[in-house]
Coordinates of all heavy atoms in Angstrom, one line a residue:
M1 N -10.5 13.9 12.1 CA -9.7 13.8 10.9 C -8.2 14.0 11.2 O -7.3 13.4 10.6 CB -10.1 14.9 9.9 CG -11.5 14.7 9.3 SD -11.7 13.1 8.5 CE -10.6 13.4 7.1
L2 N -7.9 14.8 12.2 CA -6.5 15.1 12.5 C -5.8 13.8 13.0 O -4.7 13.4 12.7 CB -6.3 16.2 13.5 CG -6.6 17.6 13.0 CD1 -6.5 18.6 14.1 CD2 -5.6 17.9 11.9
L3 N -6.6 13.1 13.9 CA -6.0 11.8 14.4 C -5.8 10.8 13.3 O -4.8 10.1 13.2 CB -7.0 11.3 15.5 CG -7.0 12.1 16.8 CD1 -8.1 11.5 17.7 CD2 -5.7 12.1 17.5
Y4 N -6.8 10.8 12.4 CA -6.7 9.9 11.3 C -5.5 10.2 10.4 O -4.8 9.3 10.0 CB -8.0 9.9 10.5 CG -8.1 8.9 9.4 CD1 -8.1 7.5 9.8 CD2 -8.2 9.2 8.1 CE1 -8.2 6.6 8.8 CE2 -8.3 8.2 7.1 CZ -8.3 6.9 7.5 OH -8.4 5.9 6.5
A5 N -5.3 11.5 10.2 CA -4.1 11.9 9.4 C -2.8 11.5 10.0 O -1.9 11.1 9.4 CB -4.2 13.4 9.1
D6 N -2.8 11.6 11.3 CA -1.5 11.3 12.1 C -1.3 9.8 11.9 O -0.1 9.4 11.8 CB -1.7 11.6 13.5 CG -1.6 13.1 13.8 OD1 -1.2 13.8 12.9 OD2 -2.1 13.5 14.8
K7 N -2.3 9.0 11.9 CA -2.1 7.6 11.8 C -1.6 7.2 10.4 O -0.7 6.4 10.3 CB -3.5 6.9 12.0 CG -3.3 5.3 12.2 CD -4.6 4.7 12.6 CE -4.5 3.2 12.8 NZ -5.7 2.6 13.2
I8 N -2.1 7.9 9.4 CA -1.6 7.6 8.1 C -0.2 8.0 7.9 O 0.6 7.3 7.3 CB -2.5 8.4 7.0 CG1 -3.9 7.8 7.0 CG2 -1.9 8.3 5.6 CD1 -4.9 8.5 6.0
E9 N 0.1 9.1 8.5 CA 1.5 9.6 8.4 C 2.4 8.5 9.0 O 3.5 8.3 8.5 CB 1.7 10.9 9.2 CG 3.0 11.5 9.1 CD 3.2 12.2 7.8 OE1 2.2 12.4 7.0 OE2 4.3 12.5 7.4
E10 N 2.0 8.0 10.1 CA 2.8 6.9 10.7 C 3.0 5.7 9.9 O 4.0 5.1 9.7 CB 2.3 6.6 12.1 CG 3.1 5.6 12.9 CD 2.5 5.3 14.3 OE1 1.6 6.1 14.7 OE2 2.8 4.3 14.9
M11 N 1.9 5.3 9.3 CA 1.9 4.1 8.5 C 2.7 4.2 7.3 O 3.3 3.2 6.7 CB 0.4 3.8 8.0 CG -0.5 3.3 9.1 SD -2.2 3.1 8.6 CE -2.0 1.9 7.3
K12 N 3.0 5.4 6.8 CA 3.8 5.6 5.6 C 5.3 5.3 5.9 O 6.0 5.1 4.9 CB 3.7 7.1 5.1 CG 2.4 7.4 4.4 CD 2.4 8.8 3.9 CE 1.1 9.1 3.2 NZ 1.1 10.5 2.8
T13 N 5.7 5.2 7.1 CA 7.1 5.0 7.4 C 7.5 3.6 7.4 O 8.7 3.3 7.3 CB 7.4 5.7 8.7 OG1 6.6 5.0 9.7 CG2 7.1 7.1 8.7
I14 N 6.6 2.7 7.5 CA 7.0 1.2 7.6 C 6.3 0.4 6.5 O 5.2 0.7 6.1 CB 6.7 0.7 9.0 CG1 5.2 0.7 9.2 CG2 7.5 1.4 10.1 CD1 4.8 0.0 10.5
C15 N 7.0 -0.7 6.2 CA 6.5 -1.6 5.1 C 5.2 -2.2 5.6 O 5.1 -2.7 6.8 CB 7.5 -2.6 4.8 SG 6.9 -3.9 3.6
W16 N 4.2 -2.3 4.7 CA 2.9 -2.9 5.0 C 3.1 -4.4 5.3 O 2.3 -4.9 6.1 CB 2.0 -2.7 3.9 CG 0.6 -3.2 4.0 CD1 0.1 -4.4 3.6 CD2 -0.5 -2.6 4.7 NE1 -1.1 -4.6 4.0 CE2 -1.6 -3.5 4.7 CE3 -0.6 -1.4 5.4 CZ2 -2.8 -3.2 5.2 CZ3 -1.9 -1.1 5.9 CH2 -2.9 -2.0 5.9
F17 N 4.1 -5.0 4.7 CA 4.2 -6.5 4.8 C 5.1 -6.9 6.0 O 4.8 -7.9 6.7 CB 4.7 -7.0 3.5 CG 3.7 -6.7 2.4 CD1 4.0 -5.8 1.4 CD2 2.5 -7.4 2.3 CE1 3.1 -5.5 0.4 CE2 1.6 -7.2 1.2 CZ 2.0 -6.2 0.3
C18 N 6.3 -6.2 6.1 CA 7.3 -6.8 7.0 C 7.6 -5.8 8.1 O 8.2 -6.1 9.1 CB 8.5 -7.1 6.3 SG 9.4 -5.7 5.6
G19 N 7.1 -4.5 8.0 CA 7.3 -3.6 9.1 C 8.6 -2.9 9.1 O 8.9 -2.1 9.9
K20 N 9.5 -3.2 8.0 CA 10.7 -2.5 7.9 C 10.5 -1.1 7.3 O 9.3 -0.8 6.9 CB 11.7 -3.3 7.1 CG 12.1 -4.6 7.8 CD 13.1 -5.3 6.9 CE 13.6 -6.6 7.5 NZ 14.5 -7.3 6.7
K21 N 11.5 -0.3 7.2 CA 11.3 1.0 6.6 C 10.8 1.0 5.2 O 11.4 0.3 4.4 CB 12.7 1.8 6.6 CG 12.6 3.2 6.2 CD 13.9 3.9 6.3 CE 13.8 5.3 5.8 NZ 15.1 6.0 5.9
A22 N 9.7 1.7 5.0 CA 9.2 1.8 3.6 C 9.8 2.9 2.8 O 10.1 4.0 3.4 CB 7.7 2.0 3.7
I23 N 10.1 2.6 1.6 CA 10.7 3.6 0.8 C 9.9 4.0 -0.4 O 10.2 4.9 -1.1 CB 12.1 3.1 0.2 CG1 11.8 1.8 -0.7 CG2 13.0 2.8 1.3 CD1 13.0 1.4 -1.4
M24 N 8.8 3.4 -0.6 CA 7.9 3.8 -1.7 C 6.5 3.2 -1.4 O 6.2 2.4 -0.6 CB 8.4 3.2 -3.0 CG 8.6 1.7 -3.0 SD 9.4 1.2 -4.5 CE 11.1 1.8 -4.3
N25 N 5.5 3.7 -2.2 CA 4.2 3.3 -2.1 C 3.8 2.4 -3.3 O 4.1 2.7 -4.4 CB 3.2 4.5 -2.1 CG 3.3 5.2 -0.8 OD1 3.2 4.6 0.3 ND2 3.5 6.5 -0.8
L26 N 3.2 1.2 -2.9 CA 2.8 0.3 -3.9 C 1.2 0.5 -4.2 O 0.5 0.4 -3.2 CB 3.1 -1.1 -3.6 CG 2.7 -2.2 -4.5 CD1 3.3 -2.0 -5.9 CD2 3.1 -3.6 -4.0
R27 N 0.9 0.6 -5.4 CA -0.5 0.8 -5.7 C -1.2 -0.5 -6.0 O -0.7 -1.4 -6.8 CB -0.7 1.7 -6.9 CG -2.1 2.0 -7.3 CD -2.3 3.3 -8.1 NE -1.4 3.3 -9.2 CZ -1.9 3.4 -10.5 NH1 -3.2 3.6 -10.7 NH2 -1.1 3.4 -11.5
F28 N -2.3 -0.7 -5.4 CA -3.1 -1.9 -5.7 C -4.4 -1.6 -6.4 O -5.1 -0.6 -6.0 CB -3.4 -2.7 -4.4 CG -2.3 -3.5 -3.9 CD1 -1.3 -3.0 -3.2 CD2 -2.2 -4.9 -4.2 CE1 -0.2 -3.7 -2.7 CE2 -1.1 -5.6 -3.8 CZ -0.1 -5.1 -3.0
H29 N -4.8 -2.3 -7.4 CA -6.1 -2.2 -8.0 C -6.8 -3.5 -8.0 O -6.3 -4.5 -8.5 CB -5.9 -1.6 -9.4 CG -7.2 -1.4 -10.1 ND1 -8.0 -0.2 -9.9 CD2 -7.9 -2.1 -11.0 CE1 -9.1 -0.3 -10.6 NE2 -9.1 -1.4 -11.3
D30 N -7.9 -3.5 -7.4 CA -8.7 -4.8 -7.3 C -7.8 -5.9 -6.6 O -7.8 -7.0 -7.0 CB -9.2 -5.3 -8.6 CG -10.3 -4.4 -9.1 OD1 -10.9 -3.7 -8.3 OD2 -10.5 -4.3 -10.4
G31 N -7.0 -5.5 -5.7 CA -6.2 -6.5 -4.9 C -4.9 -6.9 -5.7 O -4.2 -7.8 -5.2
K32 N -4.6 -6.3 -6.8 CA -3.4 -6.7 -7.5 C -2.5 -5.5 -7.6 O -2.9 -4.4 -7.8 CB -3.7 -7.2 -9.0 CG -4.6 -8.4 -9.0 CD -5.0 -8.8 -10.4 CE -5.9 -10.0 -10.4 NZ -6.2 -10.4 -11.8
P33 N -1.2 -5.7 -7.5 CA -0.2 -4.6 -7.6 C -0.2 -4.0 -9.0 O -0.2 -4.7 -10.0 CB 1.1 -5.3 -7.2 CG 1.0 -6.7 -7.6 CD -0.5 -7.0 -7.3
V34 N 0.0 -2.7 -9.0 CA 0.0 -2.0 -10.3 C 1.4 -1.3 -10.4 O 1.7 -0.5 -9.5 CB -1.1 -1.0 -10.4 CG1 -1.0 -0.2 -11.7 CG2 -2.4 -1.7 -10.3
Y35 N 2.1 -1.5 -11.5 CA 3.4 -0.9 -11.6 C 3.4 0.1 -12.8 O 4.3 0.7 -13.1 CB 4.5 -1.9 -11.9 CG 4.6 -2.9 -10.7 CD1 4.1 -4.2 -10.7 CD2 5.3 -2.5 -9.5 CE1 4.2 -5.0 -9.7 CE2 5.4 -3.4 -8.5 CZ 4.9 -4.6 -8.6 OH 5.0 -5.5 -7.5
E36 N 2.3 0.1 -13.5 CA 2.2 1.0 -14.7 C 1.1 2.0 -14.4 O 0.2 1.9 -13.6 CB 1.8 0.2 -15.9 CG 2.9 -0.8 -16.3 CD 2.5 -1.6 -17.5 OE1 1.4 -1.5 -17.9 OE2 3.4 -2.4 -18.0
G37 N 1.2 3.1 -15.2 CA 0.2 4.2 -15.1 C 0.7 5.3 -14.2 O 1.1 5.1 -13.1
E38 N 0.6 6.4 -14.8 CA 1.0 7.6 -14.0 C -0.1 8.3 -13.3 O 0.1 9.0 -12.3 CB 1.7 8.6 -15.0 CG 2.9 8.0 -15.7 CD 4.1 7.9 -14.8 OE1 4.1 8.6 -13.7 OE2 5.0 7.1 -15.0
Q39 N -1.3 8.1 -13.8 CA -2.4 8.9 -13.3 C -2.9 8.3 -12.0 O -3.0 7.1 -11.8 CB -3.6 8.8 -14.3 CG -4.7 9.7 -13.9 CD -5.8 9.7 -15.0 OE1 -5.8 8.9 -15.9 NE2 -6.8 10.6 -14.8
I40 N -3.0 9.2 -11.0 CA -3.5 8.8 -9.7 C -4.9 9.0 -9.6 O -5.4 10.2 -9.8 CB -2.7 9.6 -8.6 CG1 -1.2 9.3 -8.7 CG2 -3.3 9.2 -7.3 CD1 -0.4 10.1 -7.7
Q41 N -5.6 8.0 -9.3 CA -7.1 8.1 -9.2 C -7.5 7.8 -7.8 O -7.2 6.7 -7.3 CB -7.8 7.2 -10.2 CG -7.5 7.6 -11.6 CD -8.2 6.7 -12.6 OE1 -8.7 5.6 -12.2 NE2 -8.2 7.0 -13.9
M42 N -8.2 8.7 -7.2 CA -8.7 8.4 -5.9 C -10.0 7.7 -5.9 O -10.8 7.8 -6.9 CB -8.9 9.7 -5.1 CG -7.5 10.5 -5.0 SD -6.3 9.6 -4.1 CE -7.0 9.6 -2.5
G43 N -10.3 6.9 -4.9 CA -11.5 6.2 -4.9 C -11.5 4.9 -5.7 O -10.4 4.4 -6.0
G44 N -12.6 4.4 -6.0 CA -12.6 3.1 -6.7 C -12.1 2.0 -5.8 O -12.2 2.0 -4.6
N45 N -11.4 1.1 -6.5 CA -10.9 -0.1 -5.8 C -9.4 0.1 -5.6 O -8.7 -1.0 -5.4 CB -11.2 -1.4 -6.5 CG -12.7 -1.6 -6.4 OD1 -13.3 -1.4 -5.4 ND2 -13.3 -2.2 -7.5
E46 N -8.8 1.2 -5.8 CA -7.4 1.4 -5.7 C -7.0 1.7 -4.3 O -7.7 2.4 -3.5 CB -6.9 2.5 -6.6 CG -7.0 2.1 -8.1 CD -6.2 3.2 -8.9 OE1 -6.1 4.3 -8.5 OE2 -5.7 2.8 -9.9
S47 N -5.9 1.1 -3.9 CA -5.4 1.3 -2.6 C -3.9 1.5 -2.7 O -3.2 1.0 -3.6 CB -5.6 0.1 -1.7 OG -7.0 -0.1 -1.6
Y48 N -3.3 2.2 -1.7 CA -1.9 2.5 -1.7 C -1.3 1.9 -0.3 O -1.9 2.2 0.7 CB -1.6 3.9 -1.7 CG -1.9 4.5 -3.1 CD1 -3.1 4.9 -3.4 CD2 -0.9 4.6 -4.1 CE1 -3.5 5.4 -4.7 CE2 -1.2 5.1 -5.4 CZ -2.5 5.5 -5.6 OH -2.8 6.0 -6.9
Y49 N -0.2 1.2 -0.5 CA 0.4 0.7 0.7 C 1.9 1.0 0.8 O 2.6 0.9 -0.2 CB 0.3 -0.8 0.8 CG -1.2 -1.3 0.9 CD1 -1.9 -1.8 -0.2 CD2 -1.9 -1.2 2.2 CE1 -3.2 -2.2 -0.1 CE2 -3.1 -1.6 2.3 CZ -3.9 -2.1 1.2 OH -5.1 -2.5 1.3
P50 N 2.4 1.5 1.9 CA 3.8 1.7 2.0 C 4.6 0.4 2.0 O 4.2 -0.5 2.7 CB 4.0 2.4 3.3 CG 2.8 2.0 4.1 CD 1.7 1.7 3.1
V51 N 5.6 0.3 1.2 CA 6.4 -1.0 1.2 C 7.8 -0.7 1.1 O 8.3 0.4 0.7 CB 6.0 -1.8 -0.1 CG1 4.5 -2.3 0.1 CG2 6.1 -1.0 -1.3
C52 N 8.6 -1.7 1.6 CA 10.0 -1.6 1.4 C 10.4 -2.0 -0.1 O 9.6 -2.4 -0.8 CB 10.8 -2.5 2.4 SG 10.4 -4.3 2.1
R53 N 11.7 -1.9 -0.4 CA 12.1 -2.2 -1.8 C 11.8 -3.7 -2.1 O 11.3 -4.0 -3.2 CB 13.6 -2.0 -1.9 CG 14.1 -2.2 -3.3 CD 15.5 -2.0 -3.4 NE 16.0 -0.7 -3.0 CZ 16.1 0.4 -3.7 NH1 15.8 0.3 -5.0 NH2 16.5 1.5 -3.2
K54 N 12.0 -4.6 -1.2 CA 11.8 -6.0 -1.4 C 10.4 -6.3 -1.8 O 10.0 -7.0 -2.7 CB 12.3 -6.8 -0.2 CG 11.9 -8.3 -0.3 CD 12.3 -9.0 1.0 CE 11.9 -10.5 0.9 NZ 12.2 -11.2 2.2
H55 N 9.5 -5.8 -0.9 CA 8.1 -6.1 -1.1 C 7.4 -5.3 -2.2 O 6.3 -5.5 -2.6 CB 7.4 -6.0 0.2 CG 7.8 -7.1 1.2 ND1 8.4 -6.9 2.4 CD2 7.6 -8.4 1.1 CE1 8.6 -8.0 3.0 NE2 8.2 -9.0 2.2
Y56 N 8.1 -4.2 -2.6 CA 7.6 -3.5 -3.8 C 7.5 -4.4 -5.0 O 6.6 -4.4 -5.8 CB 8.4 -2.3 -4.0 CG 7.8 -1.4 -5.2 CD1 6.8 -0.5 -5.0 CD2 8.4 -1.5 -6.5 CE1 6.3 0.2 -6.0 CE2 7.9 -0.8 -7.5 CZ 6.9 0.1 -7.3 OH 6.4 0.8 -8.4
Y57 N 8.6 -5.1 -5.2 CA 8.7 -6.0 -6.4 C 8.1 -7.4 -6.1 O 8.0 -8.2 -7.0 CB 10.1 -6.1 -6.9 CG 10.6 -4.7 -7.4 CD1 11.5 -4.0 -6.6 CD2 10.1 -4.3 -8.6 CE1 11.9 -2.7 -7.1 CE2 10.6 -3.0 -9.1 CZ 11.5 -2.3 -8.3 OH 11.9 -1.1 -8.8
N58 N 8.0 -7.7 -4.9 CA 7.6 -9.1 -4.5 C 6.6 -9.0 -3.3 O 6.9 -9.5 -2.2 CB 8.7 -10.0 -4.1 CG 8.2 -11.4 -4.0 OD1 7.2 -11.8 -4.5 ND2 9.0 -12.2 -3.2
P59 N 5.4 -8.4 -3.6 CA 4.5 -8.2 -2.4 C 3.8 -9.5 -2.0 O 3.6 -10.4 -2.8 CB 3.4 -7.3 -3.1 CG 3.5 -7.5 -4.5 CD 4.9 -7.8 -4.8
L60 N 3.6 -9.6 -0.7 CA 3.0 -10.8 -0.2 C 1.5 -10.6 -0.3 O 0.9 -10.1 0.6 CB 3.5 -11.0 1.2 CG 4.9 -11.2 1.4 CD1 5.3 -11.3 2.9 CD2 5.5 -12.4 0.7
I61 N 1.0 -11.2 -1.3 CA -0.5 -11.0 -1.6 C -1.2 -12.2 -1.0 O -1.0 -13.4 -1.4 CB -0.8 -10.9 -3.0 CG1 -0.1 -9.7 -3.6 CG2 -2.3 -10.8 -3.3 CD1 -0.3 -9.6 -5.1
K62 N -2.0 -11.9 0.0 CA -2.8 -13.0 0.6 C -4.3 -12.7 0.4 O -4.6 -11.6 0.0 CB -2.4 -13.1 2.1 CG -1.0 -13.5 2.3 CD -0.7 -13.5 3.8 CE 0.8 -13.9 4.0 NZ 1.0 -13.9 5.5
Q63 N -5.1 -13.6 0.8 CA -6.5 -13.3 0.8 C -6.7 -12.2 1.8 O -6.3 -12.2 3.0 CB -7.3 -14.5 1.2 CG -7.4 -15.6 0.1 CD -8.3 -16.7 0.5 OE1 -8.6 -16.9 1.7 NE2 -8.8 -17.4 -0.4
Q64 N -7.5 -11.2 1.3 CA -7.7 -10.0 2.1 C -8.8 -10.4 3.2 O -9.7 -11.1 3.0 CB -8.4 -8.9 1.3 CG -7.3 -8.3 0.4 CD -7.9 -7.1 -0.4 OE1 -9.1 -7.0 -0.4 NE2 -7.0 -6.3 -0.9
S65 N -8.4 -10.0 4.4 CA -9.3 -10.2 5.5 C -10.5 -9.2 5.3 O -10.5 -8.4 4.4 CB -8.6 -10.0 6.8 OG -8.3 -8.6 6.9
E66 N -11.5 -9.4 6.2 CA -12.6 -8.5 6.1 C -12.5 -7.3 7.0 O -13.4 -6.7 7.4 CB -13.9 -9.3 6.4 CG -14.2 -10.3 5.4 CD -15.5 -11.1 5.7 OE1 -16.0 -10.8 6.8 OE2 -15.8 -12.0 4.9
E67 N -11.2 -7.0 7.4 CA -11.0 -5.8 8.2 C -11.3 -4.6 7.4 O -11.2 -4.5 6.2 CB -9.6 -5.8 8.6 CG -9.2 -6.9 9.6 CD -7.7 -6.9 10.0 OE1 -7.0 -6.1 9.4 OE2 -7.4 -7.6 10.9
N68 N -11.7 -3.6 8.1 CA -11.9 -2.2 7.4 C -10.6 -1.7 6.9 O -9.6 -1.8 7.6 CB -12.5 -1.3 8.4 CG -13.9 -1.7 8.9 OD1 -14.6 -2.3 8.1 ND2 -14.2 -1.4 10.1
I69 N -10.7 -1.2 5.7 CA -9.5 -0.6 5.1 C -9.3 0.9 5.7 O -10.2 1.6 5.6 CB -9.6 -0.5 3.6 CG1 -9.7 -2.0 3.1 CG2 -8.4 0.2 3.0 CD1 -9.9 -2.1 1.6
Ligands
LIG1 ZN1 8.8 -5.3 3.4

């Protein structure tokens, strides 16, 4: 778990899409970006990705690969 946590910590620092410095986390629900809602729900189909300002408002949504999340 410690190694896994370290990896997440590192991932938070760069944009999921372009690799530049991430400044915020973009929430995805069922593969779509969510900009509304204050409540944070763990589990389900929600995912969080670190993104830069550009990709927060214009995420590059592609077909998801079958890689493990
Ligand atoms: Zn970016």
Side-chain angles (χ1 to χ4, degrees):
M1 291 302 294
L2 287 177
L3 289 175
Y4 189 59
D6 288 342
K7 190 172 184 179
I8 292 179
E9 186 74 14
E10 182 177 344
M11 288 174 62
K12 285 182 179 179
T13 59
I14 60 174
C15 175
W16 180 263
F17 299 105
C18 69
K20 292 182 181 179
K21 183 178 181 181
I23 60 172
M24 57 187 73
N25 287 310
L26 179 59
R27 178 157 58 120
F28 280 84
H29 183 78
D30 290 337
K32 298 178 181 178
V34 177
Y35 299 103
E36 297 179 353
E38 298 290 337
Q39 188 173 8
I40 298 175
Q41 296 180 346
M42 299 300 292
N45 292 321
E46 288 193 331
S47 302
Y48 292 84
Y49 295 102
V51 292
C52 66
R53 185 185 302 272
K54 174 183 175 182
H55 289 119
Y56 181 81
Y57 294 106
N58 188 25
L60 301 174
I61 300 176
K62 298 178 181 179
Q63 284 187 337
Q64 289 186 343
S65 66
E66 295 183 355
E67 293 178 348
N68 293 329
I69 299 176

